[in-house]
Amino acid sequence: MNDAPREQWASRMGFVLAAVGSAVGLGNMWRFPYFAAENGGAAFVFLYLLMVALVGLPIMLAEFAIGRGSKKSPIQALEYFGGPAWKPLGVLFVLGGFLILSYYAVVAGWTLRYAWQAVVAGFGGDLGAFFGQAASGPDAVGWHIAFMLVTVTIVAGGIRGGIERSAVILMPLLFFIVVGLAIFAATLPGAGAGYAFYLKMDFSAILSFRVLTEATSQAFFSLSLGMGAMLTYSSYLSRDDNMPRESVIIAGSDFLIAFLAGLMVFPLIFALGLAGDVSEDQIGALFIALPGAFGEMGAVGRPVGILFFFALLVGALTSAISLLEVVVSAIIDNWSWPRRRAALVMGVLITLAGIPSALNTNVLGVVDQIAGNLILAVGALSLAIFVGWVMPDPIGEVRKGAEGVRWLPVWRAFLRYAVPPLLTVILYFSVRSTIGMIRGLFGG
Ligand code: PHE
């Protein structure tokens, strides 16, 4: 066992900003806008919000109850409240963090490369070819390594000195940039067409299980749920804060940034008549169409491009930090390693595991589907059952610091009776599309 006293956040604000930092990332500013545009526009946004309220918030509160209640990293926390039979779920969380970070850092590496390009030269020429070069092969591997180096350095710095400090500085900055760019985008001539593309209402999507599944997976991914990230962060809480209120703040900020990202991205693209690029290749869409817009905009294109990729990078970094922290905290607690060694060794292993994704975007897509969709859905379903049926007194735990909140019994009943059947249906569709995708990869 590790004898050092458990680290703690310095302030409530620090915890909230770090949790928002975990939630806000590539999922918001890159995945959400084009998911919405492709899956029914306003209908998707509506279903997404519904799923955030129905399953996202209850699961986030469930993770907080386990984390703060046990003050332990995932594997030991689940054992603490549920006995050794629940340890494998903790192992799945750690594996999830490991796998998600392996490809997340690859896309973050592209972002780093683009941010660099925005600063040193700006965008121009054949951006499809530029993306092809940046997104696979040696370039992608190199920038992936560079991004992981930054992530490891911050996590090695500890909860207060590394994670909290970076979140407190970076998250307000990100927020102002996104709001500023969304306002700027609203002044562009193509704004109306951009909003229409983003939010046109497709009523049939509301009744589609496929869209519902997409919205649910996106909610878990965007809120960092189902793999113990929020559990781990809340395990460093010292005081008994009002966790229901904090989960609403975190989920609200996460949605706000995702929604604003759409309001900034599509007007930019439509103002410059590059909409055709968006629909071509999902993964690359924004990395081709947006720089195209920055390149065409003349003098303002340069600063706008720098700000956009900087914000994207900040979001990716604070999320990657939380992914690595899940793995590192488990290693510290289970093997008694010092934090620095855990961060370094795990960082190297995750970097290596990401190399296939850096070399081939199809591999990246499959790992995303398995870890980013499937593991999170399995994890969230198990968490609902765990806190609903197994954990001794989750309501009592959440009530500390939230004495006035009346609906906690409703929350628990929800975790017991509503969330599991709903997520079982979602999981069924998710497994089906995973199998389809793996078949596709092998050309079957
Ligand atoms: N929420 C992050 C994003 O939206 C990704 C993430 C998923 C982070 C799971 C931690 C855990 O980009």
Side-chain angles (χ1 to χ4, degrees):
M1 290 270 33
N2 201 333
D3 298 326
R6 190 171 184 74
E7 293 176 79
Q8 290 175 346
W9 303 108
S11 70
R12 165 178 178 260
M13 193 65 181
F15 161 69
V16 172
L17 286 176
V20 172
S22 170
V24 172
L26 297 169
N28 303 59
M29 300 170 64
W30 172 64
R31 222 173 176 222
F32 182 88
Y34 75 75
F35 265 41
E38 267 177 11
N39 290 304
F44 180 87
V45 177
F46 170 77
L47 283 180
Y48 177 80
L49 268 176
L50 191 70
M51 295 317 276
V52 167
L54 291 184
V55 291
L57 280 171
I59 300 278
M60 188 182 296
L61 203 50
E63 291 207 23
F64 285 168
I66 304 172
R68 194 185 67 184
S70 67
K71 303 222 179 348
K72 293 179 192 307
S73 57
I75 302 176
Q76 294 191 351
L78 290 167
E79 186 184 18
Y80 180 82
F81 284 125
W86 286 87
K87 278 174 99 171
L89 181 61
V91 175
L92 182 76
F93 288 172
V94 175
L95 182 72
F98 188 101
L99 288 176
I100 295 177
L101 183 54
S102 77
Y103 71 84
Y104 198 85
V106 170
V107 181
W110 307 346
T111 310
L112 185 56
R113 202 238 172 292
Y114 274 72
W116 174 253
Q117 181 74 17
V119 172
V120 298
F123 298 99
D126 182 350
L127 290 164
F130 183 78
F131 176 71
Q133 168 100 36
S136 50
D139 272 33
V141 175
W143 291 94
H144 163 61
I145 295 173
F147 178 82
M148 280 301 295
L149 211 66
V150 181
T151 309
V152 167
T153 308
I154 294 175
V155 171
I159 295 300
R160 280 189 196 186
I163 300 177
E164 182 168 358
R165 191 178 332 158
S166 58
V168 168
I169 300 171
L170 293 174
M171 293 318 292
L173 210 57
L174 180 147
F175 183 78
F176 286 119
I177 294 177
V178 172
V179 171
L181 287 181
I183 294 173
F184 167 75
T187 66
L188 295 173
Y195 295 150
F197 179 77
Y198 175 29
L199 294 173
K200 70 186 169 326
M201 181 77 179
D202 173 2
F203 283 100
S204 66
I206 295 231
L207 297 173
S208 145
F209 270 115
R210 191 186 57 76
V211 175
L212 187 70
T213 307
E214 298 270 14
T216 313
S217 317
Q218 174 63 16
F220 290 148
F221 187 83
S222 187
L223 293 169
S224 308
L225 297 176
M227 45 72 66
M230 292 299 174
L231 188 166
T232 304
Y233 271 13
S234 65
S235 76
Y236 299 114
L237 281 169
S238 52
R239 279 180 305 277
D240 290 331
D241 292 338
N242 186 331
M243 298 194 296
R245 192 178 56 200
E246 278 162 7
S247 32
V248 172
I249 295 175
I250 295 163
S253 317
D254 185 67
F255 174 73
L256 189 68
I257 298 284
F259 189 70
L260 284 174
L263 294 184
M264 98 182 149
V265 160
F266 292 113
L268 282 169
I269 293 173
F270 277 79
L272 297 140
L274 302 161
D277 288 344
V278 187
S279 37
E280 274 172 18
D281 164 22
Q282 274 210 345
I283 289 188
L286 294 184
F287 282 95
I288 298 170
L290 263 183
F294 302 145
E296 309 264 307
M297 275 163 89
V300 282
R302 195 73 178 273
V304 169
I306 294 173
L307 286 174
F308 175 82
F309 281 110
F310 178 74
L312 196 59
L313 188 61
V314 163
L317 181 62
T318 50
S319 299
I321 288 169
S322 72
L323 287 160
L324 183 58
E325 178 59 24
V326 171
V327 180
V328 165
S329 74
I331 301 289
I332 294 175
D333 283 359
N334 286 278
W335 296 347
S336 302
W337 283 19
R339 170 172 283 276
R340 279 163 183 266
R341 192 204 300 166
L344 187 67
V345 172
M346 289 299 134
V348 169
L349 293 178
I350 292 169
T351 307
L352 292 175
I355 289 180
S357 294
L359 294 174
N360 183 341
T361 49
N362 291 327
V363 175
L364 192 155
V366 172
V367 187
D368 175 37
Q369 175 67 26
I370 292 173
N373 285 340
L374 212 50
I375 291 186
L376 297 189
V378 173
L381 173 60
S382 314
L383 279 166
I385 294 171
F386 186 81
V387 173
W389 297 95
V390 179
M391 186 175 165
D393 183 19
I395 297 182
E397 174 56 38
V398 175
R399 188 157 278 146
K400 293 180 202 153
E403 284 76 14
V405 180
R406 297 265 189 80
W407 45 262
L408 294 179
V410 180
W411 164 64
R412 182 153 192 223
F414 226 78
L415 289 177
R416 286 193 157 174
Y417 305 109
V419 176
L422 192 63
L423 287 189
T424 306
V425 176
I426 300 292
L427 199 56
Y428 167 77
F429 283 95
S430 191
V431 168
R432 260 193 11 183
S433 58
T434 308
I435 293 174
M437 223 176 144
I438 292 175
R439 284 223 182 102
L441 188 68
F442 293 106

